[in-house]
Amino acid sequence: MKTLLLSENENDIKQVGEILRRGGLVGMPTETVYGLAANALDGEAVAGIFKAKGRPMDNPLIVHIADIGDVEKFELVSDFPEKAKLLAEKFWSGPLTMIMPKGRAIPDEVSAGLDTVAIRFPEHKTAQAIIRAAGVPLAAPSANISGSPSPTTAAHVMNDLNGRIDAVVDGGECRVGLESTVITMVPATPRILRPGGITAEQIESVIGKIDIDDAVLNQLKSGEKAASPGMKYKHYSPRARVILVKGESYTDFVNKNRDKNVAALCYNEDAEKLRVRAFALGDRADTDSQAHALFDTLRQIDSENFELVYARCPDTDGVGMAVYNRLIRAAGFEVIDLEKI
Ligand code: TXA
Ligand code: MG
């Protein structure tokens, strides 16, 4: 099929609404990453998302809305817990996804057979306009081929999915650059399953203590069940092998192990000390810039055909936790701890 590259103008958004209503697939900008959207209430349309991405069928999707009232209006959940309502008022629209008991409108394809559903109200004005033009909530995972780095520009989406989907709307670069925070509101103490742009500290300031799932920072042990099915798959990976290097002597280690096929993924402060090609994500203290640059940089490293990347292990406070969570998966949990060798 021919994939249309559309703009944010009114006519194009209207056309996208029509494509979605008749069961089509559209790449849509959000403030986190680009999503691959389909009508969330149409199981057949949603099945097309899994096919286009090559996504395992047991990995559930997030349902995107354009108004807090949509949760109840479309019967998306069977219970909207008090704490979830507080978080919705504070952080929606924005990069926060909440898991709740699923409502009767949700097809099995969306929830992948679970009895819960993930809901998010994106902040990006074009995403909101697309949802309103479709007139229904939209199921949307990240718009990449399963396993590759998530797309933060329309060109990334075209790279992965050209010819497999109906259209992509170009809404520029995504502001955050990493996927939303995912939190389950089902247990009495809500639990973060995936860190993102809204931090644990921000959430706790509204609803008090929450938990952080073990799988956020650590590898699942074999046989252990993932609370968020997406966490068990290899993820965000460029073709190059990525190794996370932990410790303050990072630049010395990389310089000692340099080779023409080796690149460094590092802080701005490291770049000038390195004698290999250095891809800097931002200042050490500037976790927002690091998040914004990460996926685009991983794709760039591939386009320059490096074989091995020594990535500096990021600090994990604030949004740094999300950067670490994505990088350790891109590395397939391969870590060199310089303090231990
Ligand atoms: O920022 C985002 O969240 C982007 C944009 C497009 O909105 N979307 C996104 O979707 O990252 P995806 O499918 O790439 O990641 C969704 C994650 C997966 O790890 C999935 O397993 C988890 O959320 N998830 C979805 N529904 C769930 C549920 N009912 N229970 C547990 N985990 C769930
Ligand atoms: Mg994804």
Side-chain angles (χ1 to χ4, degrees):
M1 91 178 56
K2 172 147 176 40
T3 301
L4 303 171
L5 185 54
L6 300 176
S7 76
E8 297 175 289
N9 76 35
E10 221 180 296
N11 272 338
D12 282 11
I13 299 298
K14 210 169 130 208
Q15 186 181 355
V16 163
E18 280 155 21
I19 294 172
L20 289 165
R21 269 198 304 281
R22 64 168 165 73
L25 303 179
V26 176
M28 131 179 122
T30 83
E31 73 280 15
T32 57
V33 301
Y34 275 72
L36 178 57
N39 178 354
L41 309 181
D42 175 351
E44 217 175 297
V46 170
I49 293 178
F50 288 87
K51 221 171 131 209
K53 276 182 60 101
R55 181 179 175 102
M57 291 295 290
D58 67 350
N59 193 4
L61 305 179
I62 297 172
V63 175
H64 295 68
I65 56 174
D67 189 291
I68 296 182
D70 288 352
V71 174
E72 277 158 343
K73 174 175 157 198
F74 289 103
E75 300 187 80
L76 303 180
V77 305
S78 60
D79 179 33
F80 196 167
E82 243 357 272
K83 285 182 181 172
K85 285 188 177 148
L86 288 172
L87 292 180
E89 271 159 35
K90 178 81 182 176
F91 297 117
W92 279 358
S93 59
L96 177 71
T97 296
M98 289 194 275
I99 295 173
M100 296 182 255
K102 82 167 185 174
R104 16 185 264 169
I106 301 295
D108 282 339
E109 286 83 355
V110 169
S111 54
L114 300 177
D115 52 12
T116 54
V117 64
I119 315 272
R120 160 160 141 74
F121 177 177
E123 169 191 303
H124 198 293
K125 292 297 170 221
T126 303
Q128 295 178 5
I130 291 172
I131 298 165
R132 279 196 299 269
V136 286
L138 299 177
S142 48
N144 52 313
I145 292 283
S146 246
S148 73
S150 298
T152 57
T153 65
H156 295 163
V157 180
M158 276 304 222
N159 241 321
D160 278 22
L161 298 174
N162 192 6
R164 295 168 172 255
I165 62 178
D166 296 280
V168 179
V169 176
D170 189 345
E173 268 183 37
C174 300
R175 176 178 66 81
V176 179
L178 294 182
E179 304 88 341
S180 61
T181 304
V182 176
I183 183 167
T184 173
M185 304 307 292
V186 176
T189 305
R191 184 155 32 96
I192 288 190
L193 304 183
R194 180 178 73 184
I198 303 287
T199 63
E201 295 85 341
Q202 285 175 293
I203 294 172
E204 287 193 327
S205 75
V206 179
I207 58 167
K209 187 175 164 9
I210 58 168
D211 291 325
I212 295 178
D213 200 77
D214 263 355
V216 166
L217 297 176
N218 303 301
Q219 186 169 23
L220 287 170
K221 302 192 182 55
S222 75
E224 211 174 341
K225 197 164 165 278
S228 174
M231 284 290 168
K232 74 182 175 206
Y233 294 107
K234 188 164 157 83
H235 238 114
Y236 318 115
S237 313
R239 281 189 309 279
R241 176 178 173 201
V242 179
I243 301 178
L244 224 58
V245 180
K246 222 177 195 162
E248 293 305 319
S249 51
Y250 168 78
T251 52
D252 291 340
F253 171 85
V254 175
N255 285 336
K256 265 187 217 135
N257 290 281
R258 72 180 192 276
D259 179 272
K260 67 175 175 12
N261 297 319
V262 171
L265 187 67
C266 58
Y267 297 133
N268 287 345
E269 293 90 327
D270 303 320
E272 62 193 33
K273 298 184 200 137
L274 285 165
R275 286 186 282 145
V276 302
R277 172 87 161 90
F279 294 85
L281 295 176
D283 286 351
R284 183 166 190 167
D286 183 2
T287 48
D288 287 346
S289 290
Q290 295 158 31
H292 180 81
L294 179 65
F295 287 140
D296 184 61
T297 306
L298 289 175
R299 283 177 182 259
Q300 209 184 323
I301 287 172
D302 264 353
S303 73
E304 296 186 27
N305 292 315
F306 288 101
E307 283 167 18
L308 178 60
V309 183
Y310 288 123
R312 175 158 191 160
C313 186
D315 304 326
T316 58
D317 18 78
V319 180
M321 186 185 282
V323 177
Y324 177 88
N325 171 274
R326 304 308 189 277
L327 253 181
I328 188 107
R329 283 173 173 73
F333 292 91
E334 209 178 340
V335 179
I336 294 175
D337 189 340
L338 298 175
E339 259 110 71
K340 290 199 183 139
I341 53 175

